[in-house]
């Protein structure tokens, strides 16, 4: 299960989930953003989403700080 919470002082987000959850989020965002120049008026928002995707990709690689969260069914 994917969990998103605000950081201290509401300056960012903390996204928690297992590998499959983050991979699903990554692939969903990749589908939504489209190709460069496809949505001209939304290029700024597209770049912000690409930044989030960059951080998720680095989390896959173990470069970003992570916290172990147990999946309980």
């Amino acid at each position: 299960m994917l969990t998103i919470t605000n950081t201290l002082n509401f300056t960012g987000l903390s996204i928690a989930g297992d590998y499959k959850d983050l991979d699903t989020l990554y692939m969903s965002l990749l589908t939504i953003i489209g190709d460069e120049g496809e949505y001209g008026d939304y290029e700024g928002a597209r770049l912000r989403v690409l930044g989030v995707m960059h951080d998720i990709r680095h989390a896959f690689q173990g470069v970003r700080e992570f916290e172990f969260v147990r999946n309980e069914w």
Side-chain angles (χ1 to χ4, degrees), residues 27-69:
M27 295 307 288
S28 298
L29 292 173
L30 185 63
T31 302
I32 290 171
I33 62 168
D35 295 328
E36 185 175 354
E38 188 173 350
Y39 305 108
D41 293 339
Y42 297 101
E43 196 62 29
R46 182 179 182 276
L47 290 175
R48 286 183 182 262
V49 172
L50 283 172
V52 171
M53 292 172 64
H54 179 269
D55 288 336
I56 293 172
R57 192 169 51 251
H58 278 268
F60 289 152
Q61 297 169 350
V63 177
R64 295 289 188 254
E65 189 176 316
F66 71 92
E67 177 182 343
F68 178 75
V69 178

